[in-house]
Amino acid sequence: MNESTIRAVVQEVLSEIGKGTSTAPAAAPAPRVNGSPNGIPVMTAGVAASAGSSSYGPVSGDWGVFDSVDEAVAAAKDAFNQLRTRPIADRAKVVSIVKEMCEARAEEWGRKELEETKIGRLDHKIGKLQIIKQVPGTEWLKSDCFSGDNGLSVEEYAPFGVIGAITPVTHSLPTLAGNVINMIAAGNTVCFNPHPSGARIACEGVQAFNKAIAEAIGLENLVTIIGTPTIESAGAIFNHRDVRMLCVTGGPGVARAALQARKKAVVAGPGNPPVVVDETADIENAAKSIVAGAAFDNNLLCIGEKEVFAVNDIFDSLMDAMSRHGGYRLNAQQVEALTKLAFAPPKEPGGHHQLNRDMIGKDAAVLAEMIGVQVPAGTQLLYGETDTSNPFVPEEQMMPFIPIVRARDAQQAIELAYEFEHGFGHTAIIHSRNVRNMTVMGKLMDTTLYVKNGPCMAGLGLGGEGYLSFSVATPTGEGVTNPLTFTRSRRCVMVDELRVV
């Protein structure tokens, strides 16, 4: 079946359809060929369609901001079909643009995100944008080669196409920017459905990126976004036929929805990271690290320290040390008062406590004031002794208070950490100089991130080795995402030739 044969068949079919009508049929248009001049025509309802054309016709948007999911995806698809013809150097330019803009406008955008979301700390909002430059880009692309008696094979990493992405309110623009770098470095385009409470800053970032990208390489809509996001628009992206892959960073509900979609999904799920402090730990370093990690952006990080299990031998020393590093210790009555404000009882027996969302991401001083406590200036974190029945221990709360539970010994502390991490496989932390304890806990926890003797941020290359991403895919197993996360492997084989050795 060559092109001339197909033309003849089409002409014959159209001629038969036209018989018996009063008007002679118009001449059939010649089939258009998709991509290469020797490709096979793609027919849609009797009319040839280019593989690079949009299913929805002309689109309109405001530098990537759309009201319609169909139009946003169509624009991203058209942009992808243009990007795929461009050199990798153009993707590298996009990566540089996003990194440079995030650093240059970190203070402005960080302030706007805090004003819109009303959660977190300004200095850390700014800091999260300044560190976007550490997200890996096109330098992560690689090829694998197999050479032998039977010739030469090359495996390369190709893009999927349009990726549908969901971003959280906790890090709206930083997550979006990091995803843009990873996904476009890999050759994809992306359509975002941001969290409604962080949509305004997300849209502003998308518009700024698209304007600069268009000026630099002449392509528009590499990044699109739904201007007024809803649960329905998220569902439409999940199920859109032109969205080839999903990336979700959010709560348990949206994670489950993404996993039910019939396409590849990279899902950053929930966590409740525990900390173990054993009798061999450097107590000053442990206290400093716990305060720094749990207080970062008022404990909005999914990797952030959420509960501590400290062995009895060093428990009091740890409690004292934390007050020297920015923590403020609450007594038993104050812990009880804060707990009653932060949580309502479960709606049904055995269910989760109901978190007071008005307290999420508030400053430590604000939480303290709510229970009638005045804390010193510079206080970053509230902490206090609890037992495991306190809901701050099992629930993934996102506020700058951390419960500290006594453990009989290191083994019990590790077992409690395993129990209250709930098998999410997200993040776990230990402070110890005992290699055996570190090994036992690491094997038992089986978490994506396991940090020893440092704050949680070290797990993302901030004070520890490695690279940065704001999407840590735990349920689907990709871990800390990078450009290769958003590629598919393709193998090209030359039989018996091109090996010159």
Side-chain angles (χ1 to χ4, degrees):
M1 292 290 288
N2 56 31
E3 186 173 341
S4 60
T5 305
I6 294 173
R7 286 177 186 269
V9 172
V10 171
Q11 291 283 7
E12 181 177 347
V13 170
L14 292 175
S15 176
E16 290 296 324
I17 292 173
K19 289 180 179 179
T21 62
S22 57
T23 305
R32 289 178 291 171
V33 180
N34 60 352
S36 74
N38 297 318
I40 297 176
V42 176
M43 306 301 298
T44 303
V47 179
S50 168
S53 64
S54 165
S55 304
Y56 300 97
V59 296
S60 61
D62 185 6
W63 289 106
V65 179
F66 292 84
D67 294 325
S68 160
V69 169
D70 281 346
E71 288 197 334
V73 173
K77 182 181 178 182
D78 287 343
F80 169 71
N81 285 313
Q82 296 176 63
L83 181 64
R84 70 195 305 184
T85 68
R86 298 297 191 93
I88 293 176
D90 280 356
R91 302 185 209 168
K93 289 179 184 177
V94 172
V95 168
S96 294
I97 286 168
V98 174
K99 291 184 176 183
E100 290 168 5
M101 293 189 77
C102 284
E103 185 168 26
R105 301 181 67 174
E107 185 171 348
E108 172 199 353
W109 282 347
R111 188 177 301 278
K112 287 182 176 179
E113 179 158 334
L114 180 60
E115 290 172 352
E116 182 181 3
T117 64
K118 298 179 174 59
I119 57 175
R121 289 172 46 172
L122 178 59
D123 55 342
H124 292 162
K125 296 293 186 195
I126 294 170
K128 285 190 291 186
L129 288 165
Q130 290 172 331
I131 61 175
I132 289 296
K133 59 189 175 186
Q134 299 184 36
V135 175
T138 53
E139 70 278 5
W140 273 64
L141 301 179
K142 64 176 184 178
S143 299
D144 297 317
C145 179
F146 305 90
S147 177
D149 292 341
N150 293 323
L152 180 70
S153 293
V154 178
E155 286 186 346
E156 296 178 291
Y157 294 85
F160 275 84
V162 179
I163 298 176
I166 307 294
T167 54
V169 66
T170 48
H171 330 285
S172 182
L173 188 54
T175 302
L176 183 147
N179 284 170
V180 167
I181 290 169
N182 279 338
M183 294 171 184
I184 293 183
N188 305 282
T189 56
V190 55
C191 176
F192 285 101
N193 195 85
H195 191 287
S197 296
R200 190 165 65 246
I201 184 60
C203 289
E204 181 173 333
V206 166
Q207 289 176 317
F209 296 153
N210 277 326
K211 289 176 184 178
I213 292 167
E215 183 176 346
I217 64 172
L219 296 184
E220 297 182 8
N221 296 320
L222 294 185
V223 186
T224 65
I225 190 168
I226 306 305
T228 308
T230 62
I231 294 175
E232 289 74 22
S233 61
I237 290 174
F238 288 166
N239 297 293
H240 201 288
R241 66 187 183 190
D242 287 334
V243 171
R244 298 291 307 279
M245 180 181 185
L246 301 174
C247 178
V248 172
T249 309
V254 70
R256 284 193 297 270
L259 290 171
Q260 291 170 358
R262 295 182 177 179
K263 57 192 67 179
K264 180 176 175 61
V266 174
V267 179
N272 192 43
V275 184
V276 166
V277 184
D278 76 8
E279 67 279 4
T280 70
D282 179 335
I283 298 302
E284 293 298 323
N285 178 66
K288 180 180 178 181
S289 298
I290 291 168
V291 172
F296 191 89
D297 210 18
N298 288 339
N299 211 349
L300 294 180
L301 293 178
C302 59
I303 64 171
E305 292 86 340
K306 296 296 190 289
E307 64 278 344
V308 177
F309 302 100
V311 301
N312 190 60
D313 289 352
I314 51 85
F315 188 91
D316 293 331
S317 297
L318 177 66
M319 297 292 275
D320 292 341
M322 288 183 64
S323 66
R324 295 193 290 272
H325 295 282
Y328 183 89
R329 183 175 182 175
L330 301 181
N331 61 35
Q333 292 75 27
Q334 291 165 342
V335 169
E336 183 179 4
L338 183 65
T339 303
K340 287 181 177 179
L341 284 178
F343 295 96
K347 292 182 177 179
E348 54 188 28
H352 288 278
H353 285 79
Q354 304 300 302
L355 181 63
N356 182 350
R357 298 193 175 276
D358 292 336
M359 297 174 68
I360 291 176
K362 302 303 181 187
D363 290 345
V366 173
L367 298 183
E369 188 175 357
M370 294 174 73
I371 57 172
V373 176
Q374 297 296 317
V375 298
T379 296
Q380 299 183 60
L381 182 73
L382 305 179
Y383 68 99
E385 181 176 359
T386 76
D387 58 25
T388 56
S389 66
N390 186 295
F392 272 107
V393 176
E395 302 294 344
E396 188 190 16
Q397 47 81 17
M398 292 178 287
M399 59 187 77
F401 170 81
I402 192 162
I404 304 184
V405 179
R406 287 181 186 265
R408 181 180 61 255
D409 52 27
Q411 184 61 37
Q412 185 189 29
I414 291 170
E415 290 171 356
L416 289 171
Y418 177 72
E419 178 182 353
F420 289 99
E421 201 273 335
H422 303 307
F424 291 141
H426 200 291
T427 300
I429 300 161
I430 188 172
H431 291 275
S432 173
R433 291 168 172 156
N434 185 314
V435 174
R436 180 61 182 166
N437 287 347
M438 294 186 223
T439 304
V440 168
M441 181 172 173
K443 289 183 175 180
L444 178 65
M445 299 302 297
D446 195 25
T447 50
T448 299
L449 296 180
Y450 182 42
V451 179
K452 301 176 287 294
N453 298 322
C456 64
M457 301 88 72
L460 293 180
L462 305 175
E465 293 299 324
Y467 58 92
L468 174 66
S469 175
F470 284 95
S471 294
V472 182
T474 46
T476 50
E478 292 81 5
V480 184
T481 57
N482 60 66
L484 291 182
T485 305
F486 305 102
T487 62
R488 40 188 282 269
S489 178
R490 298 182 61 192
R491 178 180 292 187
C492 184
V493 180
M494 172 61 78
V495 178
D496 294 338
E497 301 293 347
L498 284 183
R499 176 178 167 85
V500 297
V501 176

